[in-house]
Amino acid sequence: IYGEKGILMAVLSMDAAKAGFLEIAGGDAPNMVAAWAKGKLLDGSVFQETGKAAHGSTPEDGENAITKLMEKAAARDCHFAKVYMDKIGWCLDGSGCGIGLSDSASGGLTFNAGKISMDDGKVKLAVDIRYPVTYAEEDVVSKLCDNFADAEIAVEIEAAMKPVYMAQDGFVISKLMEAYQEVTGDDTPPQLIGGGTYARAMDNIVAFGPAFPGRELTEHQANEWIFTEDLEKAREIYRLAIEKLACE
């Protein structure tokens, strides 16, 4: 994996008195598409919506229950919901709130509204943002804050991970791919992803294996496993990769 998009976990908050909700809750985590949402407006209207969960890095694979609720609440003149639909809505690339960034290396930014709650007298919306590898955190945060300032919504960054990127034709990726191709005969190109791996732990490393194309992905699941033959093949690829990296 030669690149991983930058990741920002942000909370957008508004005073409950201005927001227009008596109660609001939805979603299970910022990095998941919300599969449920429920809320009650100041006028007594009650909404309850269901959606389809998906990973926050691929929001297009899900159906966001928070957005479904906001769409209905906005029609009832709920202030927070109207701002939400104006600046977020069904748009998944952040363009509505001024951060629709893109580059040729990793494509477009993704924006996922993952969890909403009411805490400490505020409506709080937790969002997951995956931004292109050639941009910096400041490029996203400054635009996001500026765009929401006029709506009286505060922006707080709760977690941030810089992008990971190495050129496909650079030394490291070239040698890793040589080792992989010599052992497997597979010319599948290296990947760039929106997710995060152990490559975030230190500078100048990338994720390399051990899953093979076409195999079931079992990471993060109960009883995580790998085929013995794949483990042995991965060992040979790693041995050869170390030789190639060390001999230059």
Side-chain angles (χ1 to χ4, degrees):
I1 296 174
Y2 71 96
E4 302 174 19
K5 290 182 178 179
I7 301 176
L8 290 172
M9 299 292 181
V11 174
L12 314 180
S13 63
M14 176 185 283
D15 288 342
K18 297 177 182 178
F21 284 101
L22 285 173
E23 301 172 6
I24 186 69
D28 297 306
N31 64 345
M32 295 295 296
V33 176
W36 66 278
K38 57 184 180 181
K40 184 176 182 180
L41 302 184
L42 295 177
D43 66 6
S45 301
V46 176
F47 301 99
Q48 188 163 334
E49 299 292 336
T50 58
K52 177 185 175 185
H55 195 276
S57 64
T58 54
E60 67 277 6
D61 291 339
E63 183 182 22
N64 199 310
I66 294 174
T67 306
K68 291 172 71 175
L69 186 150
M70 292 296 166
E71 189 170 48
K72 292 182 178 179
R76 303 287 297 187
D77 205 31
C78 171
H79 180 55
F80 185 90
K82 289 170 69 176
V83 173
Y84 181 105
M85 293 309 299
D86 179 51
K87 296 183 179 293
I88 301 173
W90 293 105
C91 177
L92 305 178
D93 65 359
S95 57
C97 51
I99 55 172
L101 307 175
S102 181
D103 64 22
S104 59
S106 57
L109 177 147
T110 59
F111 186 105
N112 178 62
K115 186 175 183 179
I116 193 165
S117 60
M118 187 174 289
D119 300 307
D120 301 323
K122 296 180 181 294
V123 171
K124 296 183 178 181
L125 178 68
V127 302
D128 175 292
I129 299 168
R130 312 284 170 124
Y131 60 91
V133 296
T134 58
Y135 287 89
E137 175 183 339
E138 295 75 19
D139 298 325
V140 181
V141 175
S142 60
K143 293 178 184 295
L144 193 66
C145 291
D146 289 346
N147 200 268
F148 279 105
D150 63 346
E152 298 181 281
I153 289 181
V155 178
E156 180 181 357
I157 304 301
E158 292 203 330
M161 287 189 283
K162 295 179 180 179
V164 172
Y165 180 69
M166 286 190 184
Q168 290 190 62
D169 58 356
F171 172 75
V172 173
I173 301 300
S174 295
K175 294 303 178 183
L176 295 180
M177 293 307 296
E178 283 179 15
Y180 173 79
Q181 291 166 353
E182 286 179 23
V183 173
T184 66
D186 177 20
D187 61 358
T188 300
Q191 300 177 33
L192 192 147
I193 63 173
T197 73
Y198 53 83
R200 312 270 182 168
M202 59 188 293
D203 293 335
N204 302 315
I205 64 172
V206 293
F208 185 47
F212 288 91
R215 292 297 201 194
E216 179 183 357
L217 300 178
T218 64
E219 66 267 31
H220 308 310
Q221 299 179 27
N223 303 314
E224 183 176 340
W225 56 271
I226 187 173
F227 285 107
T228 303
E229 62 189 85
D230 287 358
L231 188 62
E232 292 174 346
K233 189 184 296 183
R235 179 182 61 185
E236 177 60 18
I237 293 169
Y238 290 144
R239 181 195 63 77
L240 185 57
I242 290 170
E243 288 183 358
K244 289 179 177 293
L245 290 169
C247 291
E248 292 292 331

